Amino acid sequence: MTDRHHLLVHGGTFAAVGDGGDISGVRGGNSPAGFFVRDARHLSRWQLTVDGAVPEALTPVTAGDTARCVLVPRGGRQEPPAYTLFREQAVVDSAFVESLRVTNNRPVPTTVRVAVTADADFTDQFELRSDHRTYAKSGAVRSRQVRDDGVEFGYRRGEWQSGTTVTSEPPPDGVEETGTGARRLVWALELDPHGSAELLLRVAARPHGVAQAPAVPASPAAAVGQLRALEDAFVEGVAFPTGWPELATACAQGLNDLASLQVPATGPDGEELLVPAAGAPWFLALLGRDALLTSLFALPYRPRLAAATLPALAATQATEVGSRSVAQPGKIVHEVRHGELAHFGQVPFGRYYGSVDATPLFLVLLGAYVEQTGDLAPARRLEPHARAAIGWMLDHGGLTSRGYLVYRADQGGLANQNWKDSPGAICSADGSRPHGPVMAAGAQGYAYDALRRTAHLARTVWDDEVYAALLEQAAGDLRDRFQRDFWMEEHSFPALALDGEGRQVNALASDAGHLLWSGLLDKEYGKLVGRRLLEPDFFSGWGVRTLAAGQAAYHPLSYHRGSVWPHDNALITLGLARYGLHDEARTVANALVEASTATGHRLPEAYAGYGRDTHPEPVPYPHACIRESRSAATPLALLTAVGGA
């Protein structure tokens, strides 16, 4: 990341620390600095000083399951550092733990004064985004209480309560006020000649609604042990390709990341589940579209993700109309948040339904799960939810009245409600935006696949032949309409969308590859599209761009108008393989695997659209989630599409 924050992630908890392990608490930037649990910042300052000065990083923090760094006092060449500090940090669910070892480099006893300045502002993550929005918090009260072994921070706003407890072994010699609300924990460490002393600091977060603070591991090593055990169990039993070691490594790294990106959810009967979060740092929460695609990619290897995602989304399926949340009966949720602003309705994302494609993808995953595993129980249990989802597609979704799934910009939420959901992402080749309702191409492909798969469930599991025939007819009609209305003869390529008047939004976009994945295009059109996606304006050498270069709307550092998204390319690769374009599928897969090798075997959310011919390494997209579940599952999708050779 360009602002040098390093992420530690475990479930719904993450910490973003600087090169020296500090948390500055600054706002804005590409990543929020702090220790976060359930959308709230439980540490906003965590700054180490030694003898009153900030040490410098001899070896900065490196990414991994722990944050390790080596620090020394600032000085010159003529006077070697009197001592060295070895700092290690880790997180588990709702807890942050740090060990600090101070070693005397001299042959005489010395006393070192160590201090850690801590604060917890309990800021909601939405307040930290660089969008210049502010939120009133009338009646909010913060508190600080000194303990024998540390300090406790509290926050209250009406019924909302949360807290953070900082403790240490040995206990601090004192806890000082700073004049800013922060508290400074101070130790005077007596070091023998060439001797060492160690401090262990534990931070326990108590989010709103949680009665007790979590059990904090005894050390960073113990925390890492918990995470490694989780990762090992998640990876165990998966057969990695032996003939393609780089893909095997990317698959293993992806599964490790998926293990740490699981967040709690509940099913229709209140059962506790673990589902894939969208990504850290900004989206460590259940997002319907993201969880569904992640579960689809991982389905042949880790069907447990789908088995949890389906009931979790069924439990949050809308049952009534909600104007602010964009809810409609049968619609699958887009985003679930647990923070203060969502609780008080200051942002609409507590349960937000601004997605045109989560509902058909829910049906696609349900059908694919039954096909992959042979387990009919979820299809039987979730039959009412599946029928309600079909009802939404036909009714509120627009299939019956408009012929296509349609969305309208939500002024309080998302302007675009397909996967390219940033403002301006749906555009014509010249960059102009459509007015009125939008019918995005990719969503129609998902709808087609959802209708066909649900028809199969109706016939084979629900024993409802009449319903199956109805859905098959709807799917066939949608396919015929789409190829008539979306196909641009002059480009031999489908339009990105239709506007409210049915006019083509004519940008050449990667969404066409999703139509291959869903099987919406006939064979002739599909092969034309697949080969077109591998031409140089689309294919950067690191993957297929979201928008073909050369169009006025293209920008290599735009979120959705020229960048390269691994999960987008995973769908394209699966689609190419579906249409028999195996050479093209291997070309895209090779590009992604080589990109992952260049980025430590972990694919980010997105990278810039610059061509490989002009830059020999992938250029980062500056605001990308570094840990992202769809990207983590992308190597598994590539393995499915092209195998391990």
Side-chain angles (χ1 to χ4, degrees), residues 396-467:
H396 291 284
L399 276 184
T400 300
S401 60
R402 301 298 296 258
Y404 299 106
L405 291 185
V406 60
Y407 68 83
R408 293 164 179 81
D410 175 24
Q411 291 186 350
L414 295 172
N416 287 309
Q417 295 170 25
N418 62 322
W419 86 263
K420 290 177 175 173
D421 58 5
S422 60
I426 302 302
C427 64
S428 295
D430 63 5
S432 60
R433 305 181 188 186
H435 297 288
V438 173
M439 291 156 274
Q444 316 315 320
Y446 305 159
Y448 171 76
D449 199 13
L451 290 165
R452 292 179 64 252
R453 289 183 183 274
T454 310
H456 182 71
L457 293 179
R459 179 172 289 117
T460 60
V461 182
W462 306 335
D463 194 24
D464 191 338
E465 177 62 36
V466 173
Y467 192 55

Side-chain angles (χ1 to χ4, degrees), residues 83-349:
Y83 48 82
T84 304
L85 301 100
F86 299 88
R87 197 175 193 185
E88 184 175 6
Q89 301 161 325
V91 301
V92 295
D93 189 25
S94 298
F96 173 90
V97 60
E98 172 173 327
S99 66
L100 181 66
R101 180 163 51 90
V102 187
T103 297
N104 182 7
N105 295 328
R106 292 177 173 176
V108 296
T110 193
T111 300
V112 178
R113 187 176 186 272
V114 174
V116 172
T117 301
D119 198 7
D121 63 4
F122 301 99
T123 300
D124 191 290
Q125 253 193 284
F126 283 93
E127 298 178 80
L128 298 173
R129 299 190 178 191
S130 301
D131 57 9
H132 308 294
R133 298 185 186 183
T134 58
Y135 302 89
K137 292 178 152 186
S138 59
V141 177
R142 292 173 57 195
S143 62
R144 298 97 178 157
Q145 183 176 351
V146 175
R147 302 165 42 115
D148 290 340
D149 57 354
V151 62
E152 185 168 346
F153 300 94
Y155 180 80
R156 178 190 295 271
R157 178 186 171 198
E159 73 273 17
W160 183 272
Q161 297 182 60
S162 51
T164 300
T165 303
V166 179
T167 60
S168 73
E169 295 179 14
D173 297 322
V175 178
E176 302 173 349
E177 294 191 16
T178 63
T180 65
R183 295 295 184 264
R184 184 179 296 113
L185 287 70
V186 180
W187 300 261
L189 302 181
E190 304 285 345
L191 303 181
D192 294 333
H194 295 294
S196 297
E198 186 167 346
L199 299 176
L200 182 66
L201 297 110
R202 299 188 181 100
V203 181
R206 192 177 67 257
H208 175 71
V210 177
Q212 295 182 336
V216 183
S219 65
V224 171
Q226 291 183 27
L227 184 55
R228 292 275 168 80
L230 181 67
E231 292 172 347
D232 291 346
F234 210 76
V235 173
E236 185 179 5
V238 177
F240 296 124
T242 57
W244 195 352
E246 295 83 3
L247 177 57
T249 302
C251 287
Q253 181 62 62
L255 285 167
N256 284 340
D257 285 346
L258 289 175
S260 66
L261 282 170
Q262 296 179 89
V263 295
T266 55
D269 298 322
E271 70 272 25
E272 296 182 355
L273 303 165
L274 286 174
V275 298
W282 294 110
F283 299 100
L284 203 57
L286 172 60
L287 270 67
R289 178 193 303 120
D290 300 64
L292 288 160
L293 288 173
T294 298
S295 299
L296 278 161
F297 292 169
L299 183 58
Y301 314 97
R302 276 294 169 262
R304 71 176 75 166
L305 292 179
T309 295
L310 287 165
L313 292 176
T316 54
Q317 187 176 32
T319 57
E320 58 187 17
V321 173
S323 58
R324 191 155 189 264
S325 64
V326 205
Q328 294 163 333
K331 202 173 186 183
I332 295 298
V333 75
H334 170 63
E335 186 169 356
V336 178
R337 290 285 185 169
H338 301 282
E340 176 189 358
L341 297 183
H343 175 83
F344 286 104
Q346 292 175 278
V347 296
F349 303 109

Side-chain angles (χ1 to χ4, degrees), residues 353-584:
Y353 294 84
S355 166
V356 74
D357 48 16
T359 307
L361 286 171
F362 172 81
L363 296 166
V364 170
L365 179 61
L366 181 61
Y369 178 86
V370 171
E371 179 183 347
Q372 179 71 43
T373 67
D375 178 10
L376 305 183
R380 292 188 175 119
R381 181 191 185 195
L382 302 180
E383 179 183 352
H385 302 277
R387 288 179 181 265
I390 289 288
W392 176 83
M393 288 170 53
L394 295 173
D395 185 8
H396 291 284
L399 276 184
T400 300
S401 60
R402 301 298 296 258
Y404 299 106
L405 291 185
V406 60
Y407 68 83
R408 293 164 179 81
D410 175 24
Q411 291 186 350
L414 295 172
N416 287 309
Q417 295 170 25
N418 62 322
W419 86 263
K420 290 177 175 173
D421 58 5
S422 60
I426 302 302
C427 64
S428 295
D430 63 5
S432 60
R433 305 181 188 186
H435 297 288
V438 173
M439 291 156 274
Q444 316 315 320
Y446 305 159
Y448 171 76
D449 199 13
L451 290 165
R452 292 179 64 252
R453 289 183 183 274
T454 310
H456 182 71
L457 293 179
R459 179 172 289 117
T460 60
V461 182
W462 306 335
D463 194 24
D464 191 338
E465 177 62 36
V466 173
Y467 192 55
L470 171 69
L471 299 184
E472 287 174 339
Q473 181 66 47
D477 291 346
L478 174 58
R479 180 171 179 156
D480 292 343
R481 282 194 303 274
F482 184 91
Q483 296 191 150
R484 179 193 70 216
D485 296 341
F486 277 77
W487 191 255
M488 300 185 293
E489 289 291 348
E490 67 275 24
H491 297 292
S492 297
F493 204 77
L496 174 58
L498 302 180
D499 69 10
E501 301 299 321
R503 295 176 296 232
Q504 293 177 345
V505 180
N506 66 350
L508 302 180
S510 63
D511 303 59
H514 299 214
L515 305 175
L516 305 183
W517 174 64
S518 61
L520 182 58
L521 299 177
D522 67 25
K523 190 171 184 179
E524 178 187 357
Y525 282 3
K527 289 195 171 184
L528 285 172
V529 167
R531 294 186 176 116
R532 180 68 181 85
L533 290 170
L534 270 293
E535 292 184 17
D537 57 346
F538 262 121
F539 187 65
S540 74
W542 299 115
V544 176
R545 298 179 176 99
T546 46
L547 213 63
Q551 301 174 93
Y554 170 77
H555 191 303
L557 286 169
S558 168
Y559 197 45
H560 288 125
R561 283 165 54 161
S563 56
V564 175
W565 286 61
H567 97 272
D568 183 31
N569 278 261
L571 291 170
I572 292 168
T573 306
L574 290 165
L576 291 168
R578 177 173 186 159
Y579 279 74
L581 299 172
H582 299 294
D583 289 342
E584 289 83 354

Side-chain angles (χ1 to χ4, degrees), residues 48 77 447 472 511 577 599 641:
L48 172 68
R77 184 187 298 269
E472 287 174 339
D511 303 59
T599 54

